[in-house]
């Protein structure tokens, strides 16, 4: 079975208002799931709009990331209130939690992204973390969300940092799927890879403009947020599990094992992993194009104020056995690193990261 897309998608400046009649048909007693205090006002507006639809609305907030402790607590709230739908309104961790909870309770999920930081509003997948933010595993869900509401007015309220993170995460679609799936004959997979290539090109052209530009009537901004929040999800939907993540996400998952005082966004860490994946390709395959890609990405990432080394994520890999820990987790059994079309071992990961952290990229 393959879950390609949400059943219904609303997008644009009035997407939320347009979705209300459809939501009122789907649910009579929804639970709104959120997290950050920065998005409280938006969620209150969502709550009031649903109340005006004569719905019996409840709300709950996550205390941590998408973790089993929060999932269990919210499931109990839903059971006690007899809620018949989860409306997840927030960033990627909120959307992943809402999808997972709804899937496990066999009730519909409506995703309302409040930033363009990931494509989690689209996908039939949830990433599970510890309450300290350490990646545990990803879980395939029975279906994509029932309704996805991608309201540009909501996305505009998010910090620009979340857009930069979304751009880095979406860029990884091409660099990971093109290397893991290039020899697969399946036509849908090949088409998904081609979409990811167009996605990459658009982000390279429009990403910097969107990051600095105005919202209203600004095609670069609109194209970029929808590329991050919608098209990136479509790539995974069409390509399915064969359109694999690879080293960039494997390294992200490993870096999250090191707990630091400052939290970084998913895409910020993936971006560093992407640069390291390209360095791995250069080392293992003598891929000269990988070095060119690093230089091209580095220019954009600096423009977006994205970290470009693990050190800039607040982790000194040469202290506290951090390098060994990252390499161990990156190369563990069932890691996405093994989707690469060549063997890679812990010693080589240590070598790549050590060299990368000590050099400056010349552009």
């Amino acid at each position: 079975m393959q879950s390609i897309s949400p059943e219904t998608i609303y997008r644009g400046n009035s997407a939320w208002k347009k979705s209300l009649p459809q939501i009122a048909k789907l649910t009579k007693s929804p639970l709104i799931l959120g997290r950050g205090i920065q998005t409280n006002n938006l969620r209150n507006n969502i709550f009031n709009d649903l109340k005006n639809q004569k719905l019996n609305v409840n709300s709950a907030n996550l205390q941590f990331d998408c973790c089993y402790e929060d999932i269990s607590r919210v499931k109990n709230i839903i059971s006690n209130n007899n809620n018949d739908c989860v409306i997840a309104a927030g960033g990627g961790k909120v959307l992943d939690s809402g999808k997972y909870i709804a899937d496990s309770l066999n009730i519909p999920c409506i995703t309302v992204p409040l930033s363009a930081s990931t494509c989690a509003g689209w996908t039939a997948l949830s990433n599970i973390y510890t309450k300290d933010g350490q990646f545990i595993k990803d879980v395939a869900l029975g279906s994509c969300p029932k309704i996805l509401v991608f309201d540009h007015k909501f996305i505009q309220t998010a910090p620009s940092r979340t857009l930069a993170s979304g751009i880095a995460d979406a860029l990884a679609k091409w660099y990971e799927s093109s290397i893991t799936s290039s020899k697969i004959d399946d036509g849908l997979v090949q088409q998904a890879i081609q979409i990811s290539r167009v996605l990459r090109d658009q982000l390279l052209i429009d990403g910097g403009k969107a990051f600095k530009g105005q919202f209203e009537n600004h095609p670069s901004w609109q194209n970029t947020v929808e590329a991050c929040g919608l098209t990136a999800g479509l790539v995974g939907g069409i390509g399915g599990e064969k359109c694999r993540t690879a080293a960039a996400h494997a390294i992200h998952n490993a870096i999250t094992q090191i707990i630091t005082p400052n939290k970084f966004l998913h895409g910020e860490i993936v971006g560093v992993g992407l640069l390291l994946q390209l360095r791995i390709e250069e080392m293992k395959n003598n891929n000269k194009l990988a070095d060119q890609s690093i230089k091209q990405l580095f220019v954009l990432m600096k423009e977006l104020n994205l970290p470009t080394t693990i050190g800039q994520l607040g982790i000194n890999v040469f202290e506290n056995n951090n390098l060994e820990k990252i390499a161990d987790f990156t190369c563990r059994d069932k890691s996405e690193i093994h989707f690469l079309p060549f063997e890679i071992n812990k010693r080589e990961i240590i070598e790549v990261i050590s060299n990368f952290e000590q050099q400056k990229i010349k552009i």
Side-chain angles (χ1 to χ4, degrees), residues 61-330:
N61 284 345
L62 299 178
Q63 295 177 357
F64 307 104
D65 286 331
C66 181
C67 66
Y68 287 121
E69 290 87 349
D70 263 342
I71 287 167
S72 177
R73 181 177 57 82
V74 174
K75 283 170 67 174
N76 287 334
I77 293 171
I78 290 172
S79 297
N80 291 336
N81 291 325
N82 292 315
N83 297 119
D84 60 2
C85 176
V86 177
I87 300 177
K93 304 289 174 54
V94 172
L95 302 173
D96 274 0
S97 299
K99 291 183 299 182
Y100 185 96
I101 291 164
D103 186 78
S104 62
L105 294 175
N106 198 28
I107 59 177
C109 181
I110 298 168
T111 50
V112 187
L114 301 184
S115 76
S117 59
T118 73
C119 61
W122 183 290
T123 58
L125 189 74
S126 290
N127 292 315
I128 308 297
Y129 297 81
T130 69
K131 64 181 184 180
D132 293 320
Q134 297 161 301
F135 176 85
I136 299 175
K137 64 178 181 177
D138 54 44
V139 178
L141 307 175
S143 67
C144 295
K146 193 79 170 174
I147 299 173
L148 164 58
V149 184
F150 198 81
D151 193 301
H152 291 184
K153 292 291 187 184
F154 290 175
I155 305 297
Q156 287 171 17
T157 66
S160 58
R161 178 185 175 188
T162 63
L163 179 57
S165 175
I167 292 170
D169 193 36
L171 282 167
K173 288 283 187 236
W174 159 255
Y175 294 99
E176 290 186 301
S177 66
S178 63
I179 191 171
T180 61
S181 305
S182 59
K183 295 182 180 179
I184 293 175
D185 292 332
D186 189 315
L188 280 182
V189 173
Q190 290 302 318
Q191 290 153 34
I193 294 171
Q194 291 304 321
I195 293 170
S196 73
R197 178 183 58 81
V198 175
L199 169 64
R200 175 207 62 182
D201 291 347
Q202 185 166 48
L203 291 174
L204 289 174
I205 293 167
D206 285 336
K209 298 176 192 172
F211 183 69
K212 298 173 181 176
Q214 300 300 310
F215 303 133
E216 292 293 336
N217 302 315
H218 197 291
S220 291
W221 183 86
Q222 295 171 16
N223 292 340
T224 299
V225 296
E226 293 200 336
C228 298
L230 303 181
T231 312
L234 177 63
V235 170
I238 294 176
E241 64 180 5
K242 294 175 184 174
C243 244
R244 301 280 195 178
T245 53
H249 275 80
I251 293 169
H252 160 277
N253 298 340
I255 289 172
T256 67
Q257 305 307 306
I258 313 297
I259 298 172
T260 60
N262 298 319
K263 295 203 70 172
F264 285 84
L265 300 176
H266 173 80
E268 292 175 327
I269 306 174
V270 168
V272 174
L274 183 50
L275 294 175
L276 286 164
Q277 175 182 310
L278 289 164
R279 194 59 86 204
I280 290 168
E281 291 180 51
E282 185 185 15
M283 179 187 78
K284 293 290 290 186
N285 278 0
N286 194 28
N287 184 347
K288 301 305 180 186
L289 290 177
D291 183 57
Q292 292 301 314
S293 293
I294 288 173
K295 291 174 180 176
Q296 185 180 39
L297 285 174
F298 188 78
V299 172
L300 178 62
M301 291 172 72
K302 296 300 285 184
E303 189 177 1
L304 300 176
N305 296 328
L306 285 165
T308 54
T309 65
I310 297 176
Q312 289 173 11
L313 295 169
I315 298 170
N316 185 336
V317 297
F318 304 109
E319 293 180 352
N320 302 320
N321 211 28
N322 286 335
L323 185 52
E324 192 90 4
K325 293 173 188 173
I326 291 170
D328 273 335
F329 199 87
T330 300

